Amino acid sequence: MLPGIGIFGTGNIVRVLVTFLREKGFKIISIWGRTKEEAERVATDMDIPFYTSKVDDVVLRKDIDLIFIFCAPKLHVEITVKALGLGKHVVCDKPGGLSQIDVFKMGKAALYYPTLITIINHSLRFLPAFVNLKREIKDGLLDGKISVIDIRVQIGPILADGQCYNWLCDARMGGGVLTLVGSHIIDLITYLTNRKAFKVHALIRNFSTTTNLHKNGSIRSVSSPDFCSFQMELDGGILVTATLSSYPNAIANQEITIFGPNGRLTVRSTDLFCCTGQQEEIRLLDTEKKQEPILTNEIFISGPYVQGLRNMIGALREAFEPVEDKSGWTKEPVSKAATFEDGVYVQSVIEALIQSNSNRDWTKVEQIADLPDPNSVLSSAAVRSKTISL
């Protein structure tokens, strides 16, 4: 039997999420919004029976067993810890939180309830192109050695026209192309290579300090970065170079190429290509590619991330279906999903990239486990006080 769903958040991605969940047969029980008016608006538009602005009104419901947290990152840890304590499965959007401490607390809470599903929405892991790319690497197509990974991502504006000022506008609140897109890329690299970054170098900029939302009376400027170029050196000597940008009227494009001594593997959008000689060949064409944008009059949400989200929800559907010799659910279909532990690593890299941009130098990646005393050396308040120097 599929679990009842409670959703935290009222942003554009939530409308996409609700559509996908219903496609797979899930029942949406309740939605939470920052204000009751926000929650009511989305509940009415999406035909969700119950709406609220109180966290407990969702997590305490006995008919809800699976929580989706797609609200401001500053709320992720509070909702996650409470939901896990009440025996709810949790899917949390990226970034996991505003600091390593936040995501670390989420991971620590998950350890107390190992039978519960706890994953972070790094949806690119569920794209067939990347699943097959990982298999090709494992099977030795690049002779077991990766030298360079080159990444170029261009998406449309993160903020929709006329959208009210919210956390997406503020770098300190988790907004910007680095956290919203870069977190996916950082996680994907580790997923594909089983390697982690130990030092990074970054250039982060915000070229669009105003948007159409200012026409609606906002007097605050946008601080979330719309451009980021960074390099990472991974364990084993692998070098990564990435350029991420988010501009109005941009043509969405994503290309990730992994080079080895005798060839390369490339994912363009959601298709996989291989070149071991003079000519590139197709390894996987995505036959389920959808036209974009999925929702009209809404923020453009790039296809690979949307399709990955759809596939991840499909895996969740399989996880809760009865299987042979079992009457309940199993974690196997979502075993490749990003965990809270993965989220701590991603956050550590993001913090190092922000520090590198400020220092204008290469910066060591320090995970919370590497610090002598996380509780005394690093607090959530201290981390949140860091700003991106633009």
Side-chain angles (χ1 to χ4, degrees):
M1 181 177 177
L2 294 178
I5 303 290
I7 298 176
F8 286 87
T10 56
N12 298 308
I13 187 62
V14 168
R15 297 172 183 268
V16 179
L17 175 65
V18 169
T19 301
F20 292 166
L21 286 169
R22 285 177 171 158
E23 281 181 1
K24 299 301 180 181
F26 288 100
K27 183 178 180 181
I28 316 300
I29 304 294
S30 176
I31 188 165
W32 171 97
R34 185 177 57 87
T35 66
K36 196 169 185 178
E37 291 73 21
E38 286 183 4
E40 181 181 14
R41 183 177 66 253
V42 177
T44 301
D45 292 346
M46 304 301 294
D47 194 25
I48 298 172
F50 182 80
Y51 60 88
T52 182
S53 59
K54 297 179 180 179
V55 171
D56 286 352
D57 286 350
V58 178
V59 296
L60 291 177
R61 289 186 65 118
K62 293 183 178 180
D63 54 353
I64 292 177
D65 292 304
L66 175 58
I67 300 290
F68 280 81
I69 305 173
F70 278 63
C71 54
K74 69 177 182 179
L75 301 173
H76 289 184
V77 61
E78 172 194 347
I79 299 171
T80 295
V81 172
K82 182 170 288 189
L84 290 175
L86 293 167
K88 316 290 185 180
H89 306 280
V90 173
V91 177
C92 183
D93 199 17
K94 82 303 160 194
L98 291 180
S99 70
Q100 287 190 68
I101 291 290
D102 284 351
V103 191
F104 179 80
K105 289 177 180 177
M106 294 160 60
K108 189 173 182 180
L111 290 177
Y112 288 105
Y113 308 99
T115 61
L116 296 176
I117 290 176
T118 53
I119 63 180
I120 291 183
N121 173 33
H122 288 305
S123 55
L124 293 180
R125 290 180 176 227
F126 288 86
L127 275 180
F130 290 118
V131 173
N132 281 269
L133 189 153
K134 183 178 177 71
R135 185 180 302 119
E136 296 277 19
I137 294 174
K138 184 177 180 181
D139 292 344
L141 183 66
L142 300 179
D143 294 334
K145 185 176 181 180
I146 299 171
S147 54
V148 174
I149 302 176
D150 182 72
I151 301 162
R152 299 180 186 277
V153 182
Q154 181 174 287
I155 63 173
I158 292 173
L159 299 171
D161 286 347
Q163 184 177 353
C164 294
Y165 193 98
N166 59 31
W167 68 269
L168 291 168
C169 306
D170 194 329
R172 293 169 298 180
M173 300 300 290
V177 71
L178 173 58
T179 50
L180 300 181
V181 178
S183 59
H184 279 296
I185 297 302
I186 295 165
D187 174 78
L188 180 67
I189 294 305
T190 299
Y191 168 71
L192 294 174
T193 66
N194 295 318
R195 303 285 185 176
K196 292 185 176 182
F198 67 90
K199 64 178 180 179
V200 299
H201 188 277
L203 177 66
I204 306 169
R205 290 291 182 269
N206 174 23
F207 293 106
S208 302
T209 57
T210 62
T211 70
N212 283 344
L213 63 87
H214 287 76
K215 295 178 182 179
N216 291 344
S218 175
I219 61 173
R220 291 173 290 188
S221 62
V222 175
S223 65
S224 55
D226 50 24
F227 174 85
C228 179
S229 179
F230 63 85
Q231 294 79 43
M232 303 192 299
E233 187 168 351
L234 310 185
D235 298 332
I238 300 174
L239 300 179
V240 177
T241 177
T243 300
L244 319 175
S245 59
S246 169
Y247 299 128
N249 303 316
I251 299 176
N253 177 58
Q254 176 170 283
E255 183 170 311
I256 298 175
T257 302
I258 299 182
F259 294 90
N262 299 310
R264 67 177 187 268
L265 289 162
T266 301
V267 173
R268 296 191 187 96
S269 184
T270 54
D271 302 320
L272 175 62
F273 302 87
C274 173
C275 183
T276 55
Q278 297 298 316
Q279 189 169 353
E280 188 176 71
E281 63 182 55
I282 299 170
R283 283 301 176 102
L284 178 69
L285 276 181
D286 181 10
T287 59
E288 298 182 359
K289 194 176 296 182
K290 306 293 181 182
Q291 290 192 354
E292 304 152 336
I294 284 184
L295 297 176
T296 57
N297 300 322
E298 293 287 347
I299 181 176
F300 181 90
I301 303 172
S302 188
Y305 305 93
V306 168
Q307 189 163 330
L309 178 61
R310 176 186 274 117
N311 292 349
M312 187 180 77
I313 292 172
L316 280 168
R317 173 72 169 84
E318 295 178 19
F320 287 101
E321 283 182 333
V323 294
E324 186 178 357
D325 298 328
K326 292 184 180 180
S327 59
W329 53 272
T330 172
K331 284 188 175 183
E332 178 57 31
V334 292
S335 59
K336 65 173 172 282
T339 65
F340 291 157
E341 183 179 357
D342 296 319
V344 174
Y345 163 70
V346 170
Q347 192 63 43
S348 72
V349 176
I350 290 174
E351 290 174 6
L353 289 169
I354 294 172
Q355 189 64 46
S356 172
N357 177 72
S358 178
N359 295 342
R360 302 182 184 276
D361 200 358
W362 283 88
T363 300
K364 181 182 177 182
V365 176
E366 291 186 302
Q367 277 194 249
I368 195 169
D370 299 331
L371 299 172
D373 186 352
N375 291 322
S376 62
V377 176
L378 198 62
S379 67
S380 293
V383 173
R384 290 171 185 166
S385 67
K386 293 181 180 180
T387 58
I388 298 178
S389 177
L390 299 176

